[in-house]
Amino acid sequence: MTEHNRAVVFHGTGTMKVDTLDFPKLEMPDGRKAPHGVILKIVATNICGSDLHIYRGSFPVPDGMVMGHEMTGQVVEVGSDVEFLKEGDIVSVPFNVACGRCRNCRAGRTEVCETTNPEKSCAAYGFNLGDFQGGQADYLFVPYADFQLLRFPDRDQAMDEILDLAVLSDILPTAFHGLMEAGVGPGSTVYLAGAGPVGRCGAAAARLWVHRASSSVTTTRSVSSWCARLAARRST
C-alpha cells in the first residue's frame, strides 16, 4: 500500500495545485476513529460547476482543501464495522456526507444530516462543510460506508462503463431530482434550457418519462442532438 496521496488542492482564489499528501486514514475530520469507513482508490471523478465557484472565489473554502465531490472508486481498505463492502468493490460516492442514523437521514433527507458536521446540518466532500477532503485525488476516505456507497454488482461490467457510471455521484441525481421537484409525471411537458452536463442528464432522465408515461420533452438543439446520438449508441 502506498504511503502517499496525490490530490488537487485549493491554494487561494485562482490557484490549484497537485500536492502530495499523506495516505488517508479511517478517521473523521475531528480525529475520531471511523471503523464504519473505507478508503477508496479513485477510478473516475468529475469537475463540477461548484468547483469553478471555489476556484473563482465566490464560494469560500480553507486554503489546503482537497477539491472534488463527484467520485467513483475501488475499495482498497475496509473498516472493522463495515459489513456489506469488501476490497475490490467498485462504488459510487454521493457528494453529500451522511450518517444514515439521524432523524433526517432516516427520513431520506441525507443532504441535511444532523451528525456529520458540528457547525450545521449539512456536510459534503470538497466544500467548507464539515472539513471532509474531496476526491480529486488518488485516494479518498469515506465514512459510514455501508450507508453511503452504491456498490456496482458486476465489477468488470462497471469498469467497462465507468465513464457513464461516473455521472451517478452527482450530475444525474441532480437532474433527476430537479424533474421530481418540478412535479414531472404522466402527461407532463418538459422544457430544458441548459445544455451542460446536468441539462443533458435531465434530458436523458426526462426521456425515461417519455417512454414510460408518454410525456413530451422539449430541449435545446444541442441537447436533442446529444440524446439522439446516445440513443443510437445504446441501440447498437
Side-chain angles (χ1 to χ4, degrees), residues 81-187:
D81 287 352
V82 176
E83 298 185 15
F84 303 113
L85 297 165
K86 64 182 185 301
E87 291 185 16
D89 283 345
I90 303 298
V91 296
S92 180
V93 187
F95 72 90
N96 55 303
V97 184
C99 69
R101 306 171 182 181
C102 69
R103 178 184 60 182
N104 287 344
C105 284
R106 292 198 303 271
R109 299 297 305 274
T110 55
E111 79 280 11
V112 284
C113 176
E114 297 177 303
T115 69
T116 46
N117 183 352
E119 297 182 357
K120 60 184 69 176
S121 293
C122 180
Y125 303 96
F127 281 93
N128 192 16
L129 293 169
D131 295 325
F132 289 92
Q133 296 298 310
Q136 290 176 11
D138 288 335
Y139 298 93
L140 173 73
F141 161 66
V142 176
Y144 306 107
D146 280 334
F147 177 74
Q148 286 260 98
L149 297 177
L150 172 65
R151 182 181 69 86
F152 300 120
D154 188 314
R155 184 186 186 283
D156 293 336
Q157 186 179 35
M159 291 304 297
D160 288 341
E161 302 290 341
I162 198 65
L163 295 183
D164 289 338
L165 293 175
V167 305
L168 290 175
S169 61
D170 188 355
I171 306 170
L172 181 60
T174 296
F176 192 85
H177 180 72
L179 295 174
M180 299 302 97
E181 288 293 297
V184 172

Side-chain angles (χ1 to χ4, degrees), residues 192-212:
L192 294 165
V198 175
R200 293 182 176 193
C201 284
R207 286 183 182 275
L208 292 175
W209 285 98
V210 170
H211 177 71
R212 293 175 54 194

